[in-house]
Amino acid sequence: MSKEEFKNEKLYQTTMHLARKMLTEGIISEDEYRQIDTIFLEKYRPTLGTLFSDIRLT
């Protein structure tokens, strides 16, 4: 994994951690969470993040 790929992975994972927290606190809906996930999958193109993007967390 290159430095750029690692950076993108960290950014994606951090962003989605915050989005999951917002989801569990009721700040955003599941639909909004899925929209956020789609946007940031496209933006960061994470290598490992795609393995977890479809897992239901709540």
Side-chain angles (χ1 to χ4, degrees):
M1 181 179 286
S2 72
K3 287 183 180 183
E4 185 68 23
E5 289 171 326
F6 185 68
K7 176 185 156 201
N8 286 343
E9 188 69 39
K10 287 190 314 184
L11 289 169
Y12 173 76
Q13 293 297 338
T14 301
T15 301
M16 294 314 298
H17 171 76
L18 294 171
R20 281 190 296 277
K21 185 173 171 119
M22 292 170 64
L23 177 63
T24 59
E25 292 177 2
I27 297 170
I28 61 173
S29 68
E30 287 192 32
D31 285 339
E32 290 168 319
Y33 175 84
R34 281 192 287 275
Q35 290 174 357
I36 291 167
D37 187 39
T38 299
I39 290 166
F40 287 104
L41 279 172
E42 290 177 15
K43 180 175 182 173
Y44 294 123
R45 302 272 183 215
T47 304
L48 301 174
T50 57
L51 297 174
F52 307 108
S53 66
D54 289 337
I55 296 174
R56 184 179 168 101
L57 300 170
T58 59

